[in-house]
Amino acid sequence: MITLTADIVRSTNKKLTMPTLTIDNQTITVPEGKTILEAAEALGIVVPHFCYHKDLGAVGSCRMCAVTVHTGPMPGLKMACLIPVEEGMVVTTGDDASATFRERVGEWLMLNHPHDCPVCDEGGECQLQEMTISSGHGIRRYKGDKGTYTNQDLGPYVAQEMNRCIQCYRCARTYKDYCGGRDFGVMGSRNRVFFGRFKDGMLESDFSGNLVDVCPTGVFTDRTFRFKSRSWDLEQADSVCPHCAVGCATIPGGRLRELQRVCSGDNPQVNASFICDRGRFGSGYASHPERPRQARHKDQNISVEDALTLLESQIRTAVQQHGPEAVLLLGSDRASLETNWLLQRTAKHFGCRVPVLNAHARRHQTAQIAAFDFSDRLASLEDVRNSDLVLVFGVDPLAEAPLLALALRQMVRKQGRVLLYDPRPVELPCEFDHQAFSPAGLQELLENGGVEGRHLRDLLGQAQRPVIVAGADLLGPLGLQSLHAWASGASNAERSCQVYPVLAGANSFGTALLSLPEQDDLLTRLESGKVKALICVETDPLLEAPHGERFSAALAQVDNLVVMDYLPTPLSTNAGLFIPTCPPVEDSGTFINNEGRLRRFRQVIKPGLSLARTGAGEHPSREFTLITPGGDPLPAALVLQRLIRQEQELSELHRHLAEDQPRLKELPTITPGAPGKRVKPAVTRPQKTDKLPEQPAGTFQLVVSPARYGSDLFSRFAAKLAPRLTSTRLYLHPDDLFERGLKDGEKAVVETDFGSFRLTVASRPGMAAGCALVENNGDCPQLIPGAGLSYCHIAPGGADE
Amino acid sequence: MSQTTQLLFKNRKPGETIFLKEFSANGGYQGLKTAVGTMTPEEVRELVKASALRGRGGAGFPTGVKWGFFPADKPGTKYLVCNCDEMEPGTYKDGVLLQADPHQLIEGMILSAFALQTQVGYIFIRYAYEKQAENLRRAITEATEAGYLGKNILGSGFDFELHVHGSAGRYILGEETALLNGLEGIRPNPRLKPPFPAVRGLFGQPTTVNNVETLANIPHIVTGGAQWFKDLALTPDGSGTKLFGLSGHLNCTECFELPVGITLHEVINKYGQGMWKNKQFKACLPGGASTPYLTREHMGVPLDFASLEQVGSRFGTAGVTAFDEDTCMVAVTLNLIAFFARESCGWCTPCRDGLTMVRWLLETLESGKGTREHLEMLKDQLANISGKSFCALAEGAMGPVAGLLNHFEQEIVDHIDRGHCPFNK
Amino acid sequence: MTSIESQTTSHLLDQQTLAEFIQHAGEIEHPREMIIDVLRAIQSHHGWVPDEGVELTASILGLTPIEVEEIATFYDKIFRRPVGRFVIHLCDSVCCWVRGADEIAAYLKKVLDIEFGQTTADGLFTLLPSCCLGCCGIAPAVMIRQEFFGPLTPEKVDELITSLRKEALA
Ligand SMILES: Cc1cc2nc3c(=O)[nH]c(=O)nc-3n(C[C@H](O)[C@H](O)[C@H](O)COP(=O)(O)O)c2cc1C
Ligand code: SF4
Ligand code: FES
């Protein structure tokens, strides 16, 4: 007898009973509301099905999941996906009636299906094949005409081959219903239904790639992966998407040293079974043609071993001659938890001062509020999906945490409400109320509240499962602290008001958790003039922290610049000593996501130049050597372990880490692909204060927002995403535009604390007045989000030369 | 014209439409006045229940029972929807009724809206019935001006507004939940039940869907009383009159209002005036394209819900389509299946692809290229499609196939044995 | 409001009707319910619904083109391809079929010199098969401009075609 855990209990408030039923002579007890199909699955009984999908729900259209119910007022053949379990129910799945019917359904579904399995892109992972075989259908008896379709060009990401369609409607249910896309749909009727767009063209949704995962046959396939590999030849592993701090489960697939595709993994607490297009099609950074793959000292290529020897002596000399301040180790929120922790060990080992784990000081402070103050009330995305009221402050979900946007849509579909306060003209794939508050206005609202604030706090108090979503970049440490007070105030004995912080980097939470609050920031340390050697591990402060110019200036005083990275950033190129490391797909490690969840990833491929590149155009295709071309990079964690001469198995490392950091107690128990446990709560740290600078007359509040694509460095170095990149504009409220005598499409010069930029102006009615909005991407790398409130001047920029 | 009691057709004049003046002169809106003036909504519902009226849209569900599930007393917007999709081959009675006398439906709807306490009504009408839609629009204007529709109807404090909503073809729109989707402007696939429309219907609000003829009967029940209405039928479990649309190989293919329970013999020979071109009767569809065939042996069967179920068929919409002795029943069934396969909404597999398979089997058999294996496959398809599709369309589609296999299997065998259709001389 | 009213839409809808639709769409809670009304109005004005017709409907109702197309392509009485001035819907369902619809079909094809789905060279007639038209009592029947004609014989077909041709000349 098996008991299924009540993971859906949370979504309903009423007391649940647990009916017991019998399926194929096995007994099981499941929570009320579960279906026969789910109960059978829990028993390990496979009931073939198509239209039912764990996250899309049941619609009862394919009729494949038929079973026979022997009890109740209306016994007989029933669709297992639709029938809720009842106490004492007796069900058989293998009886003649249901088995025959399922075989017929298999036959009907295959009526028009082409016999192209040997050349089909879905081959090897085709659910239609599996279901057809498990339904028992083998030989096509139908000899009539088959339908054929003309395919559409859906853009660079998703290929369509409609003749393979079996009309399960999953694509439309995913694209339209789940993801809220409005440019894809179902056309026609009877046995001539067509799933596609109104006209040819790139799918507009930021979640379009989910069509690939969700289509059970080869209609929608990953166009960027077409004709590269058969799925069974891929090296695949459970991984975590590094593109933002949501921490979605992914299953990247690589072959011949090339990362060829990324599929969605399944994490019921986080992303369910969907990911965004940035994560799916943004993996090109791993095989970027300029990726540095060789250790280098000045202009000389050297071996990693030699580089390590050199580095060791540089560190020792600097510490000996100038003391512990002389060596500054710099971690990163895109480096793994293990790497950042090993940096701390490295500092200890050599007797240097504690490392700085994030070049972006303000982001780091904000992440610490999330990692400490919020730690007992962190919401998961599943909590967001099940919430009835979500207040979002200072977040543009599609840009900063795309799967959060999907989670919000799901709660709205369940009659939940979203109220969003943000200066940007935020779009969401669902209905929501948007109040365009400027950053200063937001801070005022959060600190002092006023009428609006009181109203919102009342709403939170009345809601049954309230969640606050807090944007770290826009709100900063102070804003997050105010929201902490809001959340405590709205909690009561029955339920707590939870918070979902939106942080910047895949491991922002992890770096924050590891570090001490009182630690100095990068610039203070550098500008002290004491630092002789700076060792940057998987970070380029020029691209990842504001004050790029101050950093450049301070850097000039450093004798030795050491960089370990896998991205071709300016700093990698300029380093005196460079050691190539590996991106997450070539490494095994851990990130901690927004919700404080330990997310383990496992190595998918080994580093090396892809065969497609080394063999291109050559005859014979390549030289045969024992050394993998481009195979020098090592995971940063390994580099550090070799540096301190303490190489350990990952499990051993995790044990030490967990001993050192009691909040990470669960780390050794977590495996890649598992939902991942949360870190242990912490005690609240002392309050921070952050004064608003005075606004100079005639200025605008500068709002720097991540672009949906090209803001995180991974996607900036991912060629496949090029079609989605936008060029930077200066967005202004139409009233401001008018007042300054500017017109849409004209140029303007923006003078900011971070430099002056000449940009094309665009009017955006949905944004807050008095603000100048610029997106951070490859065009404007100096403007980095999360820098805090600053002001800018705007002047007409004259005509184009 | 029939000599039996005429309720729905009492005002009918060939080639004419009766509007408010004449309708009122013949006792129109009396039922409404009585109900609104002297009865509570609950009393109207009870009366309809007692009348044993069964739905005239094909499924024959008792109207009073259906209304009993409706949350009439629940506050909030509720809808009453009239189903005038009428696209099942052999069924044209609602069209005739609305061509003759649109106010009857409108009075029926106001009364029903009062009984169910719905504030908004829609008449969903098929594309081909543009004339009828025009009649309805005019009648709605007249009724509104006369104070029967709109705010505070007849000073009762009850409000009801009524809209006509046109369709653009497709039989599935007649299925009540597909119809609601169609009305909302989303793809008209049927909806999953539960929740039933009475709980979540149009725009998510409680909704009742009833057929034109069903609703048009309500005023007569209110004025004549439940027992009187019930007694109009010739069989004990029958109730009221029924519009019979005659078609096929009959001399007279018109629509008649006849008592429920009239025998097939009388319908065919008296009202249909016998078979066309003096041929023999072979079979008929008793109630539209989805009802299993009746044959000569059924001539004495009273046409009502219970009696037809007993002989393995259905009363349906009482559209009687007769076939003469020279008709190939395989070919008729193929024609019917071709209709259903073409009209499938494409949502569920048994209908979308199963009916395609059945059509192919019947084509193969009809062309004489079939074998006994195909015959067995046909039986197997019947067993696996009937009752197993998402909505009742596919089940209805298999009605004639069931009839064919029950009564005319030998005809299929003849096709196989001769290698061609025996009726193609 | 005015952006929709322009030269480019005048061949699809007369401006009066367009203005009414826009106004009505602004007044009701669920503008989507008007999709069929707008499509039918475009069709009766323009003869059929071209891509711009779908796009116009979408912009009147605040929808995307595909959301309209999902509906337009479901129904068989919305034409998404050009048709002739008179669309002849010939019923091929059971009541008409047993009373000789096949012969009428053959005859129509012969006199118009087209197959089902085609339009005559002069652009006057398009011949389409249709499911039951709801006039089973006058089988075999056709529907033209939502008017029924039946029971048909070859002679009556000739009369009908002649009178429609005459109307077209007038
Ligand atoms: C495929 C299909 C088509 C239908 N077509 C019609 C129709 O055209 N008119 C109608 O009144 N009911 C039709 N029905 C029945 C309706 O679903 C519904 O039962 C009926 O409108 C209820 O009204 P009544 O109880 O007054 O008969 C159809 C049902 C199915 C499954
Ligand atoms: S039986 Fe299935 S495909 Fe057919 S009309 Fe009903 S839902 Fe649509
Ligand atoms: S999985 Fe149950 S009907 Fe499709």
Side-chain angles (χ1 to χ4, degrees):
Chain A
M1 168 133 161
I2 301 177
T3 300
L4 198 64
T5 49
D7 54 1
I8 55 145
V9 175
R10 198 192 272 276
S11 62
T12 49
N13 265 358
K14 58 175 192 244
K15 275 227 169 63
L16 283 181
T17 53
M18 301 274 285
T20 298
L21 71 160
T22 308
I23 308 177
D24 292 347
N25 293 323
Q26 299 185 60
T27 306
I28 184 166
T29 302
V30 295
E32 196 173 12
K34 289 272 175 192
T35 61
I36 298 177
L37 189 70
E38 288 166 309
E41 243 170 23
L43 279 170
I45 298 170
V46 178
V47 182
H49 59 269
F50 270 115
C51 62
Y52 167 78
H53 178 283
K54 179 173 73 65
D55 297 311
L56 300 176
V59 291
S61 67
C62 77
R63 318 305 278 179
M64 182 55 116
C65 64
V67 297
T68 301
V69 176
H70 298 270
T71 44
M74 297 225 280
L77 193 88
K78 293 279 143 58
M79 296 308 129
C81 70
L82 296 178
I83 308 292
V85 294
E86 274 168 33
E87 182 60 40
M89 202 175 223
V90 176
V91 176
T92 54
T93 70
D95 57 291
D96 268 359
S98 39
T100 309
F101 179 70
R102 291 198 305 262
E103 189 182 338
R104 293 299 166 269
V105 173
E107 179 171 25
W108 293 326
L109 285 172
M110 291 299 289
L111 237 50
N112 288 293
H113 196 78
H115 279 170
D116 66 344
C117 303
V119 294
C120 175
D121 319 67
E122 194 79 358
E125 49 187 2
C126 177
Q127 208 191 341
L128 177 62
Q129 258 181 14
E130 281 164 33
M131 291 304 165
T132 306
I133 289 167
S134 62
S135 79
H137 166 64
I139 291 169
R140 190 197 309 257
R141 300 181 292 178
Y142 172 77
K143 301 278 187 311
D145 290 340
K146 289 203 221 169
T148 51
Y149 297 91
T150 309
N151 294 319
Q152 288 182 322
D153 181 347
L154 300 178
Y157 300 119
V158 179
Q160 185 197 43
E161 178 48 67
M162 262 305 288
N163 289 339
R164 297 178 184 143
C165 178
I166 51 144
Q167 289 86 27
C168 67
Y169 288 79
R170 271 200 207 176
C171 54
R173 288 161 61 210
T174 302
Y175 197 97
K176 294 187 352 165
D177 302 350
Y178 198 93
C179 299
R182 294 185 67 187
D183 63 323
F184 178 94
V186 192
M187 288 161 276
S189 60
R190 57 169 147 146
N191 59 353
R192 303 206 310 191
V193 238
F194 190 94
F195 299 87
R197 275 171 52 86
F198 179 56
K199 288 181 178 170
D200 282 8
M202 178 162 76
L203 290 165
E204 288 163 16
S205 164
D206 293 303
F207 306 96
S208 68
N210 290 305
L211 290 181
V212 173
D213 289 342
V214 104
C215 173
T217 168
V219 178
F220 296 111
T221 50
D222 182 339
R223 194 159 174 182
T224 69
F225 172 60
R226 269 201 141 183
F227 312 129
K228 289 205 157 179
S229 293
R230 307 303 312 217
S231 63
W232 56 81
D233 288 329
L234 286 173
E235 300 160 78
Q236 303 192 89
D238 287 306
S239 192
V240 178
C241 177
H243 285 267
C244 78
V246 171
C248 295
T250 57
I251 305 178
R255 182 167 158 257
L256 308 173
R257 300 194 297 270
E258 182 187 14
L259 186 62
Q260 297 186 331
R261 72 168 189 193
V262 176
C263 295
S264 178
D266 183 5
N267 188 328
Q269 292 301 313
V270 183
N271 56 313
S273 44
F274 308 96
I275 56 173
C276 73
D277 286 358
R278 187 159 93 197
R280 184 183 303 267
F281 301 115
S283 63
Y285 59 89
S287 43
H288 193 281
E290 276 146 42
R291 172 173 166 191
R293 294 176 177 274
Q294 272 264 279
R296 194 167 32 71
H297 180 229
K298 302 199 173 124
D299 293 337
Q300 289 280 299
N301 284 345
I302 57 174
S303 70
V304 173
E305 288 314 302
D306 291 350
L308 281 171
T309 316
L310 199 62
L311 178 58
E312 186 180 5
S313 81
Q314 280 181 358
I315 298 175
R316 287 205 193 283
T317 319
V319 174
Q320 262 162 29
Q321 293 180 353
H322 306 283
E325 297 281 348
V327 175
L328 173 53
L329 296 158
L330 179 63
S332 153
D333 60 5
R334 59 180 162 92
S336 67
L337 189 67
E338 292 81 356
T339 300
N340 280 296
W341 181 69
L342 278 161
L343 263 184
Q344 294 180 325
R345 297 264 300 239
T346 307
K348 265 201 201 117
H349 177 87
F350 291 111
C352 330
R353 249 193 83 180
V354 286
V356 171
L357 293 188
N358 192 338
H360 194 314
R362 186 166 173 275
R363 272 187 175 167
H364 196 49
Q365 281 176 9
T366 320
Q368 286 190 337
I369 312 269
F372 289 87
D373 299 22
F374 288 163
S375 60
D376 58 345
R377 56 174 75 254
L378 287 165
S380 67
L381 274 195
E382 178 68 0
D383 293 328
V384 173
R385 288 190 283 267
N386 289 325
S387 168
D388 58 337
L389 174 73
V390 179
L391 301 190
V392 184
F393 296 102
V395 188
D396 179 351
L398 285 173
E400 298 178 80
L403 261 285
L404 168 65
L406 275 198
L408 292 172
R409 176 171 171 81
Q410 306 323 309
M411 58 97 48
V412 170
R413 288 174 76 200
K414 290 185 249 172
Q415 319 299 319
R417 235 180 119 193
V418 176
L419 307 177
L420 185 141
Y421 292 77
D422 192 279
R424 291 164 282 188
V426 175
E427 289 170 6
L428 278 181
C430 59
E431 263 184 41
F432 70 110
D433 292 323
H434 177 204
Q435 299 290 333
F437 274 53
S438 73
L442 256 181
Q443 184 152 342
E444 171 70 20
L445 171 75
L446 297 189
E447 268 174 49
N448 306 321
V451 183
E452 178 94 21
R454 214 168 314 127
H455 169 64
L456 292 178
R457 294 163 83 137
D458 283 348
L459 285 180
L460 282 178
Q462 289 150 15
Q464 307 200 318
R465 298 174 299 281
V467 176
I468 295 175
V469 175
D473 270 357
L474 212 99
L475 302 179
L478 204 62
L480 254 62
Q481 265 170 348
S482 308
L483 283 177
H484 184 248
W486 282 45
S488 319
S491 298
N492 56 41
E494 270 98 67
R495 57 125 189 84
S496 128
C497 170
Q498 293 179 294
V499 182
Y500 187 88
V502 176
L503 308 178
N507 197 27
S508 288
F509 196 110
T511 48
L513 182 144
L514 287 178
S515 43
L516 308 166
E518 57 278 12
Q519 159 192 304
D520 303 328
D521 66 56
L522 173 70
L523 277 178
T524 320
R525 294 264 294 268
L526 279 181
E527 285 171 348
S528 72
K530 291 184 190 152
V531 177
K532 301 297 166 200
L534 172 66
I535 304 170
C536 300
V537 178
E538 299 183 345
T539 179
D540 179 348
L542 282 168
L543 295 180
E544 291 168 288
H547 303 289
E549 280 169 33
R550 269 175 71 195
F551 175 74
S552 310
L555 204 58
Q557 304 176 38
V558 171
D559 298 338
N560 289 322
L561 171 63
V562 183
V563 174
M564 305 182 195
D565 207 344
Y566 47 85
L567 292 177
T569 65
L571 210 64
S572 311
T573 326
N574 290 324
L577 181 63
F578 177 80
I579 302 177
T581 63
C582 294
V585 285
E586 295 170 8
D587 190 6
S588 291
T590 311
F591 290 146
I592 305 183
N593 72 359
N594 282 331
E595 53 198 72
R597 189 176 300 279
L598 291 155
R599 302 287 293 115
R600 289 267 286 105
F601 51 90
R602 179 175 282 151
Q603 185 183 45
V604 181
I605 48 170
K606 295 207 179 73
L609 273 180
S610 80
L611 209 62
R613 279 182 59 206
T614 56
E618 308 255 321
H619 186 80
S621 63
R622 61 183 185 277
E623 279 176 43
F624 292 94
T625 63
L626 287 175
I627 297 159
T628 310
D632 276 6
L634 292 178
L638 191 58
V639 172
L640 294 175
Q641 291 183 66
R642 292 213 179 143
L643 183 64
I644 58 173
R645 299 171 199 278
Q646 283 180 16
E647 260 186 72
Q648 289 174 328
E649 290 284 320
L650 194 59
S651 53
E652 210 178 325
L653 190 72
H654 282 165
R655 249 197 7 259
H656 286 127
L657 222 167
E659 275 163 24
D660 184 44
Q661 290 283 343
R663 293 185 65 194
L664 303 180
K665 199 168 143 252
E666 302 286 358
L667 181 59
T669 68
I670 294 166
T671 49
K677 298 203 176 107
R678 314 263 207 120
V679 299
K680 300 273 167 260
V683 285
T684 308
R685 298 201 178 184
Q687 294 271 321
K688 290 251 173 0
T689 48
D690 190 5
K691 229 176 67 225
L692 274 189
E694 229 14 78
Q695 175 158 15
T699 58
F700 287 83
Q701 295 181 41
L702 176 67
V703 181
V704 178
S705 173
R708 284 193 205 171
Y709 298 89
S711 191
D712 65 309
L713 289 193
F714 295 108
S715 71
R716 202 175 297 170
F717 291 108
K720 284 181 191 176
L721 287 181
R724 289 272 175 91
L725 297 184
T726 48
S727 52
T728 301
R729 297 256 181 290
L730 170 67
Y731 296 111
L732 293 173
H733 190 276
D735 294 350
D736 293 332
L737 211 70
F738 179 76
E739 197 180 299
R740 294 291 162 119
L742 287 164
K743 286 206 188 66
D744 236 328
E746 286 179 351
K747 298 275 180 194
V749 174
V750 209
E751 301 276 356
T752 73
D753 293 354
F754 315 96
S756 135
F757 306 88
R758 187 164 172 271
L759 297 170
T760 306
V761 194
S763 141
R764 293 300 285 272
M767 65 179 284
C771 294
L773 170 60
V774 187
E775 285 178 352
N776 161 257
N777 56 22
D779 288 355
C780 268
Q782 304 93 319
L783 289 177
I784 287 150
L789 185 56
S790 70
Y791 300 100
C792 61
H793 287 274
I794 294 176
D800 271 321
E801 295 84 47
Chain B
M1 271 266 173
S2 163
Q3 301 86 45
T4 60
T5 310
Q6 300 289 290
L7 314 176
L8 306 170
F9 277 173
K10 72 174 179 183
N11 296 332
R12 180 162 75 137
K13 292 185 187 159
E16 276 185 49
T17 310
I18 302 303
F19 284 101
L20 186 62
K21 216 168 122 210
E22 225 172 316
F23 180 70
S24 305
N26 291 348
Y29 290 109
Q30 278 314 316
L32 178 65
K33 287 175 188 153
T34 313
V36 167
T38 65
M39 295 170 78
T40 64
E42 200 187 342
E43 280 165 357
V44 181
R45 299 200 296 272
E46 283 306 318
L47 186 67
V48 170
K49 196 167 187 177
S51 77
L53 172 68
R54 290 178 67 166
R56 302 307 197 214
F61 198 81
T63 308
V65 176
K66 177 155 152 181
W67 287 9
F69 300 135
F70 192 80
D73 303 327
K74 198 179 134 186
T77 311
K78 295 174 293 248
Y79 295 97
L80 173 67
V81 175
C82 169
N83 188 344
C84 184
D85 192 59
E86 195 164 67
M87 285 187 66
E88 181 153 323
T91 306
Y92 59 100
K93 49 146 188 126
D94 296 338
V96 173
L97 175 59
L98 295 178
Q99 187 63 304
D101 194 357
H103 275 286
Q104 251 193 97
L105 172 63
I106 291 168
E107 185 185 359
M109 286 193 75
I110 306 168
L111 262 171
S112 307
F114 175 71
L116 298 167
Q117 292 293 296
T118 62
Q119 307 86 334
V120 184
Y122 281 93
I123 302 170
F124 185 89
I125 188 160
R126 68 174 294 183
Y127 178 83
Y129 287 173
E130 189 54 25
K131 290 261 146 45
Q132 288 87 337
E134 276 164 25
N135 292 344
L136 284 168
R137 286 190 202 103
R138 175 170 159 193
I140 287 173
T141 311
E142 288 181 342
T144 311
E145 281 163 7
Y148 300 135
L149 267 176
K151 296 258 175 259
N152 192 16
I153 293 169
L154 297 175
S156 64
F158 172 65
D159 305 336
F160 183 58
E161 58 179 84
L162 187 53
H163 307 280
V164 177
H165 193 288
S167 181
R170 288 285 170 225
Y171 169 59
I172 187 61
L173 275 292
E175 199 283 334
E176 58 180 4
T177 58
L179 184 154
L180 296 178
N181 281 339
L183 261 180
E184 288 187 20
I186 51 186
R187 277 181 66 83
N189 300 122
R191 297 178 180 177
L192 199 60
K193 291 187 268 192
F196 288 90
V199 178
R200 270 183 72 82
L202 192 62
F203 303 117
Q205 297 303 120
T207 303
T208 279
V209 183
N210 276 116
N211 173 257
V212 173
E213 188 186 342
T214 313
L215 293 166
N217 268 310
I218 307 297
H220 302 290
I221 295 172
V222 170
T223 47
Q227 194 57 43
W228 165 82
F229 184 80
K230 208 172 171 305
D231 291 344
L232 290 172
L234 303 178
T235 41
D237 3 306
S239 171
T241 63
K242 181 78 196 73
L243 301 182
F244 287 80
L246 308 192
S247 62
H249 293 143
L250 291 172
N251 281 317
C252 174
T253 52
E254 280 176 30
C255 187
F256 296 97
E257 178 172 16
L258 303 171
V260 166
I262 189 168
T263 61
L264 179 61
H265 171 81
E266 208 174 337
V267 169
I268 297 287
N269 293 314
K270 183 165 170 197
Y271 293 97
Q273 294 169 26
M275 298 303 285
W276 199 34
K277 298 184 182 166
N278 284 323
K279 299 212 180 144
Q280 290 292 311
F281 174 89
K282 180 176 185 179
C284 75
L285 295 160
S290 62
T291 52
Y293 305 120
L294 299 183
T295 64
R296 296 173 69 163
E297 61 182 286
H298 299 120
M299 274 299 176
V301 173
L303 300 178
D304 73 7
F305 292 100
S307 320
L308 281 171
E309 251 159 62
Q310 264 169 23
V311 299
S313 186
R314 289 192 304 113
F315 194 24
T317 60
V320 180
T321 308
F323 306 107
D324 68 23
E325 56 194 315
D326 292 336
T327 315
C328 171
M329 294 312 286
V330 181
V332 169
T333 313
L334 170 59
N335 176 286
L336 291 166
I337 277 290
F339 163 82
F340 287 109
R342 193 169 65 189
E343 294 302 319
S344 165
C345 79
W347 178 243
C348 77
T349 314
C351 177
R352 181 189 61 236
D353 298 321
L355 295 187
T356 309
M357 178 97 170
V358 174
R359 186 185 55 201
W360 169 73
L361 283 168
L362 285 166
E363 273 164 9
T364 309
L365 289 165
E366 166 62 11
S367 70
K369 297 192 191 106
T371 61
R372 268 160 224 266
E373 233 172 277
H374 290 108
L375 173 57
E376 289 314 308
M377 274 166 76
L378 187 65
K379 292 181 183 167
D380 171 79
Q381 296 288 313
L382 173 66
N384 282 295
I385 295 177
S386 277
K388 293 165 184 168
S389 53
F390 186 85
C391 82
L393 187 146
E395 164 148 37
M398 296 310 278
V401 177
L404 178 73
L405 288 167
N406 276 340
H407 305 300
F408 301 103
E409 185 170 342
Q410 187 51 44
E411 213 167 294
I412 305 178
V413 174
D414 286 349
H415 281 73
I416 297 170
D417 289 349
R418 296 189 198 190
H420 62 84
C421 173
F423 295 88
N424 270 348
K425 280 152 207 153
Chain C
M1 185 191 274
T2 44
S3 68
I4 306 179
E5 297 172 29
S6 69
Q7 282 300 328
T8 57
T9 59
S10 60
H11 64 297
L12 299 171
L13 270 185
D14 67 74
Q15 299 300 297
Q16 166 78 26
T17 316
L18 177 60
E20 279 167 20
F21 277 138
I22 293 172
Q23 190 189 350
H24 192 50
E27 286 163 1
I28 61 175
E29 203 184 337
H30 313 279
R32 246 192 136 109
E33 68 177 87
M34 293 165 61
I35 293 181
I36 290 290
D37 298 336
V38 180
L39 289 172
R40 277 178 59 169
I42 291 173
Q43 181 155 303
S44 70
H45 191 80
H46 183 258
W48 60 289
V49 181
D51 286 358
E52 312 95 78
V54 172
E55 284 158 349
L56 175 66
T57 309
S59 64
I60 294 173
L61 304 179
L63 301 171
T64 62
I66 183 72
E67 287 166 344
V68 175
E69 184 77 329
E70 287 192 308
I71 307 303
T73 55
F74 189 94
Y75 295 94
D76 67 347
K77 299 294 185 283
I78 300 291
F79 310 131
R80 285 287 282 111
R81 276 186 269 166
V83 289
R85 173 154 169 200
F86 304 108
V87 180
I88 305 177
H89 296 276
L90 175 76
C91 174
D92 62 5
S93 289
V94 68
C95 309
C96 285
W97 177 73
V98 294
R99 302 272 301 217
D102 278 353
E103 289 85 72
I104 299 299
Y107 189 73
L108 270 167
K109 287 183 197 170
K110 199 179 90 191
V111 296
L112 298 175
D113 193 22
I114 49 174
E115 291 297 312
F116 276 123
Q118 294 181 337
T119 301
T120 51
D122 58 6
L124 277 188
F125 299 101
T126 300
L127 184 61
L128 294 176
S130 172
C131 68
C132 177
L133 297 167
C135 58
C136 315
I138 54 165
V142 294
M143 178 174 74
I144 301 168
R145 289 181 299 199
Q146 293 170 309
E147 257 181 78
F148 303 129
F149 301 91
L152 290 178
T153 56
E155 297 73 52
K156 288 205 188 133
V157 169
D158 284 339
E159 270 169 43
L160 186 58
I161 299 293
T162 313
S163 79
L164 290 171
R165 285 218 165 99
K166 216 181 271 163
E167 185 190 326
L169 283 178

